[in-house]
Amino acid sequence: VIMLVFVGLMVNFAQSSALKSVLSGLRPVVVALILGAAIIIGMESAAGIFGLVIAAGSIAASLRFKIHPILIIVLSGCVGMLVY
């Protein structure tokens, strides 16, 4: 319900320079929050050598072969279940 109200307000004030300023200021904050969460989760999940190997393989597969992130997550989980 809150999101519906928020979207309704956004549609009404979409051309507002104040709203554009607020949203452009929020963008770096959201990126920082996501990056912080990724670092915390990464440090906890890649504690052992096998975790680091899985993480490095996932990053390499993502960058080199352009594999969909959902497939990488599923495959990494399967490899993790086999190893651990």
Side-chain angles (χ1 to χ4, degrees), residues 7-83:
V7 169
L9 290 173
M10 292 277 295
V11 169
N12 290 337
F13 298 105
Q15 301 303 320
S16 170
S17 63
L19 179 63
K20 288 180 182 179
S21 297
V22 168
L23 291 178
S24 69
L26 284 177
R27 188 170 292 131
V29 173
V30 171
V31 170
L33 287 172
I34 292 172
L35 184 62
I39 290 171
I40 290 170
I41 292 171
M43 291 177 70
E44 289 179 5
S45 64
I49 188 70
F50 291 118
L52 291 173
V53 170
I54 292 171
S58 298
I59 293 170
S62 175
L63 295 175
R64 173 71 172 111
F65 302 112
K66 305 293 185 203
I67 298 174
H68 196 277
I70 298 296
L71 182 59
I72 290 176
I73 291 170
V74 170
L75 292 175
S76 297
C78 291
V79 171
M81 287 188 335
L82 290 174
V83 170

